[in-house]
Amino acid sequence: MSAIEHRHDFVFLFDVTNGNPNGDPDAGNLPRLDPETSRGLVTDVCLKRKIRNYVQMTKEEQSPWRIYVKEKAVLSTVRGDAYQAVEGKAKNEEEKIRLGKEFMCANFFDVRTFGAVMSTKQHNCGQVRGPVQLAFSQSMDPVVPLDISITRMAVETASEADKQSGDNRTMGRKAIVPYGLYRCHGFVSAPLAQQTGFSQEDLDLLFEALTNMFDHDRSAARGEMAARKLVVFKHACRMGKAPAQALFERVTVELKDTSTPPRRYGDYAVTVNTAGLPAGVEVREVL
C-alpha cells in the first residue's frame, strides 16, 4: 500500500440523546463542559478509542490493521513482536529501533494513523508522529447535564442484604445530556502519511469508522449516539491549497428555532458552502 499524496481536512458532526458522551473521571464522571460557555466537550482520545475499537472489530486483529493501543493491552509485550521480527537484521541498537518502528507502522493501523510513543526501555521502537489528528469536539449550543437518580433492586453480597432487612434496594446516580450536537475538526497530513505509510485504504477505513463506530459502541451510559455529517476537503497536493480554518468555516450549523433548546438533529440546519472553493480543493460529503 502506498501512502496518500493529498492533504485532507474534515468536519465531523455527531450527537447524543439522553446519554453521557464523554465522562470526566475527575468530576464524578459528569459530562465534560467548558465552564465559561457551558458547551459540552468530547476529547480527541475518546473518539480515537472508538475508531480503534471499530477497526479491531472489523479487521479481527489481522495485519496490517492490528491495534496497538487496545483495552487491557501491555504495550511492551505488543512491541515484542517487532523485536522478534527484526531479530538478526539490525547491526546496532539504532538500526533495531528503526526497523522496529517500521514494523509497527506496517502492521498496526493506529500507529501509522495516530502515531505512538514507543521509546521506553523495553523493546524500544522509537516515536511515530501520526498523520491523523482530531481536535476536541464541542457542542454547538450549551448543554445542561442532568444528574438522575436510579434504583437497583439487588445487592452484591449477603451481608448487604442483611443490613437492609431483605429490601435489597440500592440507589445510584446517572449523569446525562438531554441532547447535544457536537462538532469535531480533523486533519490528515500527507507528508506525515508518507513517513508512516498511511494509505488511501487506511483513509477510507478511518472515514468508515467515523460513520459507523457509534452503532457498535452502545451502552446504558451513552444513550443514543449517532454520526450525522462528515464533510471532507481534499487538497490537490501534499501541503494543501488553503488554510484548514477557512475551509471549516464553509460548514455552518445553525439552530432553526432559538426560542427552545435543541432536542434532535432536525432542530439544526447544516449547510456546506461549495461556491468559490479555492483552486485545488474539492469537497465531498461522506455522510
Side-chain angles (χ1 to χ4, degrees):
M1 296 186 294
S2 58
I4 61 171
E5 298 181 354
H6 302 272
R7 191 184 111 193
H8 295 74
D9 303 299
F10 59 89
V11 177
F12 178 51
L13 300 180
F14 62 94
D15 63 1
V16 60
T17 303
N18 294 328
N20 186 351
N22 186 202
D24 185 349
D26 288 330
N29 208 43
L30 290 171
R32 298 177 189 270
L33 287 177
D34 179 339
E36 294 185 326
T37 65
S38 292
R39 291 177 183 256
L41 298 174
V42 172
T43 64
D44 58 327
V45 293
C46 174
L47 295 185
K48 288 177 181 178
R49 174 76 275 142
K50 300 180 193 306
I51 293 169
R52 286 183 169 102
N53 288 348
Y54 179 85
V55 172
Q56 182 179 353
M57 186 182 304
T58 56
K59 297 300 184 179
E60 300 178 340
E61 282 294 287
Q62 298 298 312
S63 294
W65 296 287
R66 294 173 62 186
I67 295 300
Y68 173 58
V69 183
K70 57 186 176 183
E71 296 177 28
K72 299 181 181 179
V74 179
L75 299 181
S76 61
T77 301
V78 179
R79 294 195 306 273
D81 291 350
Y83 263 56
Q84 290 181 6
V86 304
E87 189 69 33
K89 299 179 182 179
K91 298 177 181 180
N92 51 49
E93 185 65 21
E94 183 177 346
E95 188 173 358
K96 182 181 289 188
I97 293 172
R98 179 182 62 81
L99 292 174
K101 182 191 300 184
E102 291 177 358
F103 177 91
M104 295 299 293
C105 286
N107 289 276
F108 291 86
F109 172 83
D110 55 338
V111 173
R112 65 177 177 273
T113 301
F114 304 126
V117 177
M118 304 176 290
S119 54
T120 56
K121 292 182 179 179
Q122 189 173 6
H123 299 151
N124 184 353
C125 291
Q127 298 184 20
V128 176
R129 186 178 176 191
V132 177
Q133 295 301 328
L134 304 175
F136 271 36
S137 306
Q138 186 177 64
S139 66
M140 300 308 304
D141 288 282
V143 296
V144 181
L146 301 180
D147 193 20
I148 308 294
S149 297
I150 57 175
T151 305
R152 184 175 70 166
M153 302 303 294
V155 293
E156 185 67 27
T157 65
S159 61
E160 290 180 83
D162 293 339
K163 291 178 182 179
Q164 297 190 38
S165 301
D167 188 4
N168 290 6
R169 181 177 303 183
T170 57
M171 302 297 294
R173 313 294 297 177
K174 187 174 184 177
I176 66 167
V177 170
Y179 182 80
L181 177 63
Y182 290 76
R183 176 171 178 152
C184 175
H185 292 165
F187 314 85
V188 185
S189 166
L192 291 178
Q194 292 174 357
Q195 293 180 23
T196 69
F198 183 81
S199 67
Q200 182 63 47
E201 190 172 358
D202 292 327
L203 183 64
D204 293 340
L205 181 57
L206 172 69
F207 292 153
E208 177 188 330
L210 286 171
T211 55
N212 294 291
M213 62 188 183
F214 294 121
D215 290 330
H216 302 277
D217 189 57
R218 306 293 184 190
S219 75
R222 282 183 286 279
E224 297 180 53
M225 293 190 69
R228 292 297 187 175
K229 180 73 71 174
L230 177 57
V231 182
V232 179
F233 296 93
K234 180 181 178 181
H235 300 254
C237 64
R238 297 168 65 247
M239 301 306 295
K241 291 290 187 178
Q245 63 270 22
L247 301 177
F248 293 154
E249 289 171 356
R250 290 177 169 271
V251 182
T252 57
V253 182
E254 296 180 348
L255 192 59
K256 295 177 182 177
D257 183 359
T258 58
S259 65
T260 59
R263 285 297 181 266
R264 60 189 182 92
Y265 182 64
D267 291 339
Y268 287 93
V270 180
T271 305
V272 181
N273 179 13
T274 60
L277 278 170
V281 176
E282 62 181 71
V283 59
R284 67 186 178 104
E285 298 183 38
V286 177
L287 178 66

